[in-house]
Amino acid sequence: MAEPTIQRSSLENHDHELKENIEKKKDSTANPEFFSCMLQPSPADSDPNYIGIRRFLLHRKAESGVLRRKDWRFNGKGYVAYRNYISRPRNWENLQIPSCSSTPGNSGRWMPSPSPVSQLLESDSWNSLKDLRSPSQASQALSRTTSFSSNASDTDDRPRRRSEPAYSFVGMHCIFDQCKAMVTVIKFGHMSSDLLAYGASDGSLTVCSVSMPPSVIKQLIGHSKDVTDFDFSTNNQYIASSSMDKTVRVWDISRGLCIRVIYGVSSQLCIRFHPVNNNFLSAGNAKKEINVFNFSTGRTISKTVVDGEVTAIDHDHTGQLIFCGDGQGCIYTVSMNSHTGALSRTHRNRSSSKHRSAVTTVQYRTFSLLARGPVLLAFTRDGSLSFFSVSLEMKGYLTLRCSLKLAPRLHSIRASFCPLLSLEKGEYIVAGSEDANVYFYDLTRPRNTCVNKLQGHGYPVIGIAWNHGENLLASSDFGGTVIVWKRAKTA
């Protein structure tokens, strides 16, 4: 009577072993490196014997190593993507980015299509393995990446929505590469389409003209440390600049001379001319102060104190409100008397992030489609981009309309509103990034928020600025290069 029991148990053990072998085979076929090797097309000049031996060895790799490669992650990428990153050709940047002339008079061509080298590297990335996931896992991953205020990284490989015609670019208008230090801030002149200036980490200020042929007008030398911010006067005759050397300087552009120096006790981090009364200068410093200086005498008229270093500042169009951001991610609204320059704090908007991060951009706009009124843009170093509506009746009270989470920044990278297309279009933002690209985002779209990007810089893009005619976009990078991009003409 015991023999049938023995036979039955042996059959069950045999079936169990068969199932285990089948599962092992399934696991072995899911090797990410073997899978990508099978998908990768063979070059015409490759040795078929080498390819066959490589695939055979990848197929015979130990299961423990396969599992480790499947589970391995670094900055959100898998084993194969990181292996391709470290084994890429030494001159891969030159192969990806087309060469262009680097003189102010010659324009380079922006090439939106990727090169064969980039296609080869992308074909071997971990993203090609997403088909191996179960349907439930794929749907969960999709839901995570398309949430409106989630990690919408500017380096995502998700397909971007087709850019609006008015935000399509035909190439580079000109390039300025005389500066050998990081260009920290860049701006066009007030109500000007061709006057451009940029400040650098070596303390220099450069004033240029982008009209054909582009040229450097003046070199303003005087600051001994980084230029943190500057602003044009209403008539574009003067520039007021702030610096890490604890001074505020006023420059006469036509003569290229510094006509006034205001000394402080801490680093001066941001500065603005009053939009109505240009005799007032508002400056924020590392001592948590907002100071109002008299342009003519250089004396301090008024000041107020906030909770952190004042890292970004902007006025409203009436000059009665000052919006500033500090080193802790908070946004403040300060009332200002346009006649006396007296300041008084009115509102504070705390950052919702657990990790406090410095505000790099505070920009005011008189009208927005989303808010049907004045709005404020704030951008922090941790990649948080916030969009507020401004209530002028409540002394500049801010209401958060929407937010976007981008990849964290190592540098003080800035963002800017894009020109309004029409009342039927969305709200567009342009920002620099650490991967040397310029990205465009549409805040009205919860999915595929990134709509376009410009490639051409070789270093992290720091500064962004539009001209008054809204046909040119200027961007500066860590290596000292300034590129002026030309928008495509639309009907």
Side-chain angles (χ1 to χ4, degrees), residues 49-324:
N49 295 328
Y50 167 77
I51 296 176
I53 294 173
R54 180 168 179 257
R55 292 178 178 177
F56 174 76
L57 294 176
L58 289 174
H59 181 70
R60 295 291 301 272
K61 275 189 175 182
E63 296 177 10
S64 59
V66 172
L67 296 177
R68 284 197 299 269
R69 286 191 296 276
K70 287 174 62 177
D71 297 334
W72 190 85
R73 290 289 189 279
F74 183 78
N75 287 343
K77 298 295 184 180
Y79 168 79
V80 177
Y82 188 70
R83 183 208 64 190
N84 288 340
Y85 173 77
I86 62 177
S87 62
R88 64 190 178 183
R90 291 183 179 270
N91 61 340
W92 75 283
E93 290 183 345
N94 297 330
L95 296 175
Q96 282 182 316
I97 302 175
S99 59
C100 56
S101 177
S102 60
T103 56
N106 299 326
S107 62
R109 186 72 175 175
W110 171 54
M111 301 295 292
S113 59
S115 66
V117 175
S118 62
Q119 291 178 351
L120 178 61
L121 294 177
E122 290 174 359
S123 66
D124 219 6
S125 68
W126 175 264
N127 293 331
S128 63
L129 297 177
K130 59 187 176 182
D131 296 333
L132 295 178
R133 302 173 181 172
S134 62
S136 60
Q137 291 175 335
S139 61
Q140 291 175 1
L142 182 62
S143 64
R144 284 196 302 269
T145 56
T146 56
S147 60
F148 188 64
S149 59
S150 64
N151 297 330
S153 172
D154 44 15
T155 58
D156 283 347
D157 292 330
R158 297 193 306 273
R160 289 182 297 276
R161 194 173 62 85
R162 185 182 298 274
S163 62
E164 297 292 336
Y167 292 137
S168 299
F169 289 78
V170 296
M172 300 176 187
H173 176 69
C174 61
I175 300 175
F176 296 96
D177 60 354
Q178 292 86 355
C179 186
K180 303 304 178 184
M182 175 178 63
V183 177
T184 54
V185 57
I186 184 170
K187 290 182 181 180
F188 279 94
H190 182 70
M191 304 289 286
S192 174
S193 296
D194 57 358
L195 183 63
L196 177 69
Y198 55 89
S201 60
D202 60 359
S204 64
L205 265 169
T206 306
V207 183
C208 310
S209 173
V210 298
S211 59
M212 299 306 294
S215 61
V216 175
I217 300 175
K218 293 291 182 182
Q219 284 274 359
L220 308 178
I221 306 298
H223 286 295
S224 59
K225 293 185 180 180
D226 304 37
V227 175
T228 55
D229 199 5
F230 69 86
D231 195 24
F232 284 92
S233 61
T234 303
N235 58 5
N236 290 329
Q237 185 177 354
Y238 303 101
I239 283 182
S241 60
S242 60
S243 173
M244 297 291 288
D245 63 5
K246 304 179 183 180
T247 65
V248 168
R249 293 177 179 263
V250 181
W251 308 84
D252 187 328
I253 299 177
S254 60
R255 295 186 295 169
L257 298 177
C258 177
I259 61 175
R260 188 166 304 283
V261 181
I262 303 174
Y263 295 93
V265 296
S266 62
S267 299
Q268 306 294 322
L269 304 180
C270 51
I271 193 167
R272 286 292 182 278
F273 273 102
H274 192 279
V276 178
N277 185 355
N278 267 190
N279 199 38
F280 291 153
L281 281 172
S282 303
N285 59 33
K287 202 180 175 183
K288 308 178 183 180
E289 297 174 342
I290 302 173
N291 292 296
V292 177
F293 300 108
N294 186 301
F295 172 80
S296 302
T297 64
R299 294 182 179 179
T300 302
I301 300 174
S302 177
K303 72 177 180 179
T304 186
V305 180
V306 297
D307 299 337
E309 297 181 348
V310 183
T311 55
I313 194 171
D314 201 11
H315 278 278
D316 75 327
H317 64 289
T318 65
Q320 298 178 0
L321 297 174
I322 296 177
F323 302 98
C324 62

Side-chain angles (χ1 to χ4, degrees), residues 165-166 168-170 471 486-491:
S168 299
F169 289 78
V170 296
N471 63 320
K486 188 175 182 180
R487 276 173 64 184
K489 295 182 180 180
T490 57

Side-chain angles (χ1 to χ4, degrees), residues 19-31 66 70 132:
K19 291 181 180 179
E20 287 182 350
N21 292 332
I22 292 173
E23 290 178 356
K24 289 181 180 179
K25 289 181 179 180
K26 289 182 179 180
D27 290 339
S28 64
T29 58
N31 182 354
V66 172
K70 287 174 62 177
L132 295 178

